[in-house]
């Protein structure tokens, strides 16, 4: 089984979130895919099998410890891998619980890709859940940015989002991995996303990913889609595009662009550059 290693949402020829991509005639068993994902050790590996004429693909995603319903950065990596092997264009992807698309193309010697996320939805967290989340990460209520209320957000997978007042507070994020794993799995969360807003369009984020056995994810396309839907549908941000910088505190700077229309709950376009890894 050949694993293609691609960093998605790279900042030119550096950074980005490493993902594994396996292109195959038929998907291996879940146990085999889980074992490969654990051996690769990246936050996610995407497994894709062609259906029909080669423009339709069945896709599943595995972290080192569990299957996840949707992974944005692995989908971007998959789009780059498909474009490199089969040519630039749009590919339809059938996931466990949704059908999405990804586009890939070569641009100035590098592959770029854009996905259309599953539908989005969001709901503001209650006080007890806010307090439990802050307690896990050691934050105080006074550190919250009340312009973006804590919420459960969805764009193919579930996340919590917590907005902070300062970049220093974002940089100080820390937590116990095992406690985080129990917290996230008991709530069916993929990540807990912390956000600092630089201006109307620019956001800096960190995503705790204990549910997948990883302290932090350097670029999270699924959370970016969910967060964009939340900004549009609850915070009424209608600018249509935001830019997300992630992974800086890990030394793995990643750049995500999210574009969306005004229709509540509609799909989000997530795009970024990729780089091939050895």
């Amino acid at each position: 089984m050949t694993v293609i290693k691609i960093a998605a949402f790279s900042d030119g020829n550096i950074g980005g979130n490493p993902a594994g991509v396996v292109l195959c005639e038929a998907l291996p068993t879940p146990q085999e895919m889980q074992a490969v994902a654990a051996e690769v050790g990246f936050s996610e590996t995407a497994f894709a099998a062609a259906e029909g004429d080669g423009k339709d693909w069945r896709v599943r995603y595995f972290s080192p410890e569990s299957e996840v319903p949707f992974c944005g950065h692995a989908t971007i990596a998959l789009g780059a891998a498909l474009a490199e092997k089969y040519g630039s264009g749009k590919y339809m992807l059938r996931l466990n619980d949704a059908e999405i698309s990804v586009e890939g193309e070569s641009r100035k010697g590098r592959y770029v890709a854009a996905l259309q996320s599953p539908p989005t939805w969001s709901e503001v967290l209650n006080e007890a859940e806010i307090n439990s989340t802050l307690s896990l990460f050691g934050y105080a209520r006074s550190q919250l940015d009340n312009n973006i209320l804590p919420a459960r957000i969805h764009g193919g997978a579930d996340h919590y989002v917590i907005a902070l007042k300062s970049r220093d507070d974002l940089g100080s994020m820390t937590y116990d991995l095992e406690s985080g794993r129990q917290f996230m799995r008991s709530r069916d969360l993929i990540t807990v996303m912390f956000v600092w807003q630089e201006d109307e369009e620019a956001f800096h984020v960190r995503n705790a990913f204990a549910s997948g056995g990883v302290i932090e994810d350097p670029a999270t396309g699924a959370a970016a889609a969910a967060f964009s839907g939340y900004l549009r549908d609850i915070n009424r941000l209608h600018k249509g595009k935001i830019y997300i910088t992630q992974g800086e505190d890990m030394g793995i700077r990643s750049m995500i662009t999210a574009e969306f229309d005004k229709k509540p709950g509609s799909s989000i376009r997530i795009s970024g550059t990729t780089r091939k890894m050895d």
Side-chain angles (χ1 to χ4, degrees), residues 161-213:
V161 62
I162 303 289
L164 300 168
K165 286 181 180 178
S166 77
R167 182 64 181 83
D168 287 344
D169 287 344
L170 181 68
S172 69
M173 186 200 80
T174 186
Y175 70 104
D176 175 72
L177 179 63
E178 182 55 37
S179 298
R181 180 187 284 111
Q182 295 175 14
F183 179 91
M184 294 181 206
R185 290 186 177 177
S186 68
R187 292 162 172 79
D188 293 324
L189 299 174
I190 301 301
T191 74
V192 175
M193 181 181 198
F194 290 91
V195 177
W196 173 68
Q197 184 172 2
E198 181 179 356
D199 58 36
E200 283 191 348
E201 294 185 334
F203 295 83
H204 296 251
V205 311
R206 299 182 71 177
N207 281 75
F209 187 34
S211 66

Side-chain angles (χ1 to χ4, degrees), residues 120 122 153 193 221-234 237 241-242 244 256-261 266 268-270:
T120 64
S122 310
I153 59 176
M193 181 181 198
F227 179 59
S228 300
Y230 170 64
L231 290 177
R232 175 191 60 202
D233 299 344
I234 293 183
L237 176 67
K241 180 183 285 188
I242 64 171
I244 294 174
I256 303 171
T257 300
E259 300 169 88
F260 44 90
D261 60 26
S266 61
I268 309 294
R269 180 180 173 87
I270 300 293

Side-chain angles (χ1 to χ4, degrees), residues 39-105:
E39 182 178 351
V40 172
F42 294 157
S43 54
E44 274 97 3
T45 295
F47 298 82
E51 296 182 327
D53 61 2
K55 289 293 184 180
D56 298 288
W57 292 77
R58 174 71 173 101
V59 182
R60 295 176 73 169
Y61 308 91
F62 285 80
S63 76
E65 293 190 2
S66 60
E67 183 172 10
V68 297
F70 170 60
C71 173
H73 86 276
T75 302
I76 293 295
L78 173 60
L82 291 172
E84 182 178 25
K85 186 169 184 178
Y86 298 104
S88 298
K90 183 176 182 178
Y91 296 86
M92 306 306 297
L93 311 181
R94 183 167 64 88
L95 314 184
N96 286 355
D97 303 312
E99 294 184 0
I100 66 170
S101 65
V102 67
E103 300 172 54
E105 65 173 316

